[in-house]
Amino acid sequence: TSYFVLADVVCLSIQPHDPTSLASISLRQTGDTHHSQDKMTSTNAAAAVVVARLLLPDDANPVGNVHGGTTLKLMEEAGMIAATRHMSSSEANRESRGNCLAALVRFDTMAFHKPIFVGEVASCTCEIIFTSKQSILVEVVVNAEDISKGKTRVTNTGWLWYVPLAPSSFGPTGEKKDWKIVQVLPMAMPDEEAAIQKSMTKYGKAKAKYEMRKKSSQNSGEDFDAAGGANDAKEINNDLDTFKSQYTAPSEGRSPTESEQVLCQMVLPGDCSKDHVAFGGFVMKLMDNAAGCSAWRHCRANVVTVAISDMDFVSWVRLGDLCTIRSKVVYASSKSLEIEVVASVASAASNRDEDTVVAKGLFTFVSIGSDGKVLSVPKLRLESDEDMRNAYLGKRRYEAAKRARLEGSN
């Protein structure tokens, strides 16, 4: 067993008899940096990260499975290390005297494939699959290992977008005061033909996602939903009117108001990086906790996270801020719930009386019975125009996701 420190990350490396075993718990850095025509690039391997930990009882939900928020936090930590490591050899990092860091701005897609159980080792593997001028996309794959049986399985996959930041000014005591977005070190494509084909497939999908988001942000006067990007407001309103006319209130069910939850937590030193900025995983875990409470309020049964979409981080969360999470059910299919979650902060350093919104996301939950099978969920009773609109957009997203799954299986 050996201990070592690399870029402020303390690593424990355990060398088992089988070098491919997930019992090898480490943060690894491999690869190198290439120079071509005065243009520096970084290999995907240079940012390769494996983060692993043993899951304990305090990581579990009431029925003994590992809490989804715990997995999200682990994934974000791994993604942050990979994205920051990608920028470590960049010109921007040298100019900032090694103070460049990666900040999470979007959790694009997140799927919970299988549960993780207490006593297993969860291992996050990261890969840089796309870079633009000011953003880095990290794919994170989580494997769970039953270390006594030596069996592993993929439990979670996600795409996390980061932007590289460097301090633009410092306070009187030398602390980093303001930050600016800097240019990303371009990723280098692999040399082997098979690796190129695999990488280009991911790269193409990632680039399409990037272009869609970029286009939608340029249409600020139009509505946007995860189903299809920028939409004509007139078309949405016409479809919404049809949705309202066809809606019939269920004889039994619960309203979005009945599922509303508010959670508050002060941001403490253990929630932050060395620069007193809260980790994205800290906020995501709080958001998942609130979403789970809303799902339970609606179902009154055991609930689990199965997917996250469109989680955007739009502002800082700092040490000493009061972080407030608000959540409610906005759409219910026969066996799943979509929950809207909004995170905001109140800061002593700000003169504003209102909280500042820092993150938004959509969480999908299902209810699980004692036999492990998915249960039907109570219907959603819509009581206001806002409820109607949210449910209509939720239905669009649900149907689009269903079409995508069917197309993917063909």
Side-chain angles (χ1 to χ4, degrees):
T1 303
S2 60
Y3 294 84
F4 57 99
V5 178
L6 173 64
D8 293 329
V9 176
V10 179
C11 309
L12 166 63
S13 180
I14 303 176
Q15 302 300 330
H17 294 297
D18 179 4
T20 64
S21 170
L22 285 179
S24 178
I25 302 176
S26 63
L27 297 177
R28 300 198 297 267
Q29 180 173 9
T30 58
D32 54 8
T33 301
H34 295 278
H35 301 264
S36 176
Q37 297 179 352
D38 297 326
K39 183 178 181 181
M40 189 181 301
T41 61
S42 175
T43 63
N44 295 358
V49 173
V50 176
V51 178
R53 57 167 290 199
L54 179 68
L55 283 311
L56 303 175
D58 58 356
D59 298 313
N61 61 20
V63 297
N65 298 343
V66 172
H67 198 283
T70 300
T71 306
L72 291 174
K73 187 176 181 181
L74 186 63
M75 292 177 73
E76 198 281 323
E77 288 174 357
M80 179 274 295
I81 294 170
T84 301
R85 182 174 284 165
H86 178 79
M87 291 296 297
S88 62
S89 58
S90 67
E91 183 67 28
N93 194 50
R94 286 198 296 273
E95 291 177 353
S96 65
R97 294 173 293 178
N99 286 308
C100 189
L101 59 84
L104 180 68
V105 293
R106 181 173 174 80
F107 210 132
D108 205 329
T109 57
M110 167 64 175
F112 288 76
H113 305 293
K114 295 180 180 179
I116 305 175
F117 301 104
V118 171
E120 294 184 324
V121 171
S123 173
C124 292
T125 304
C126 301
E127 180 186 0
I128 307 292
I129 61 172
F130 177 80
T131 58
S132 69
K133 289 183 178 180
Q134 294 185 331
S135 62
I136 303 167
L137 178 56
V138 183
E139 181 183 61
V140 184
V141 178
V142 183
N143 286 273
E145 180 191 14
D146 183 329
I147 54 178
S148 62
K149 297 180 180 178
K151 295 182 178 180
T152 64
R153 64 190 183 281
V154 175
T155 61
N156 304 78
T157 53
W159 282 11
L160 288 75
W161 291 89
Y162 291 84
V163 295
L165 301 171
S168 59
S169 64
F170 294 83
T173 59
E175 74 276 11
K176 305 172 187 68
K177 188 176 181 181
D178 296 309
W179 297 80
K180 63 181 180 180
I181 299 176
V182 296
Q183 188 164 336
V184 170
L185 181 68
M187 62 178 281
M189 301 308 294
D191 297 328
E192 296 81 2
E193 185 175 346
I196 291 175
Q197 186 64 34
K198 179 180 177 182
S199 179
M200 287 304 295
T201 300
K202 292 181 180 179
Y203 183 88
K205 292 180 180 179
K207 186 175 181 180
K209 282 263 189 182
Y210 171 79
E211 295 295 341
M212 185 185 77
R213 294 298 303 181
K214 184 177 180 181
K215 181 179 179 181
S216 70
S217 66
Q218 296 171 349
N219 292 279
S220 57
E222 298 177 344
D223 288 282
F224 177 82
D225 75 277
N231 296 280
D232 181 76
K234 184 177 180 180
E235 178 185 347
I236 283 186
N237 289 332
N238 289 338
D239 290 347
L240 177 57
D241 290 339
T242 303
F243 177 82
K244 288 180 179 180
S245 66
Q246 295 175 347
Y247 172 74
T248 302
S251 57
E252 296 182 356
R254 296 188 174 95
S255 68
T257 303
E258 292 179 83
S259 69
E260 285 185 352
Q261 293 292 289
V262 179
L263 301 182
C264 296
Q265 185 164 327
M266 187 70 69
V267 181
L268 302 176
D271 307 318
C272 301
S273 67
K274 63 180 181 180
D275 299 305
H276 298 166
V277 176
F279 291 112
F282 161 75
V283 180
M284 288 196 295
K285 186 173 182 179
L286 290 181
M287 294 174 75
D288 185 72
N289 288 349
C293 291
S294 288
W296 188 93
R297 285 279 186 187
H298 188 84
C299 297
R300 302 300 170 107
N302 178 45
V303 292
V304 295
T305 317
V306 294
I308 301 172
S309 63
D310 296 314
M311 182 183 287
D312 291 296
F313 291 78
V314 296
S315 187
W316 295 102
V317 180
R318 299 180 183 275
L319 177 64
D321 286 351
L322 179 64
C323 189
T324 300
I325 314 294
R326 293 177 171 83
S327 62
K328 65 179 180 180
V329 176
V330 293
Y331 176 71
S333 68
S334 61
K335 291 188 176 182
S336 67
L337 299 174
E338 183 180 75
I339 299 166
E340 178 185 72
V341 187
V342 179
S344 61
V345 296
S347 174
S350 172
N351 295 324
R352 297 182 58 181
D353 293 329
E354 313 87 30
D355 284 11
T356 300
V357 173
V358 295
K360 297 179 180 180
L362 296 168
F363 289 68
T364 302
F365 276 73
V366 296
S367 180
I368 303 293
S370 58
D371 59 356
K373 295 182 179 180
V374 177
L375 303 175
S376 297
V377 300
K379 294 182 178 180
L380 191 62
R381 189 175 66 252
L382 309 178
E383 300 179 330
S384 67
D385 286 342
E386 180 184 3
D387 292 347
M388 289 284 186
R389 184 176 181 82
N390 288 338
Y392 161 71
L393 293 175
K395 183 180 180 182
R396 286 174 60 98
R397 289 186 290 265
Y398 172 79
E399 292 175 346
K402 190 174 181 179
R403 287 195 301 270
R405 288 196 300 271
L406 291 174
E407 292 171 359
S409 62
N410 293 335

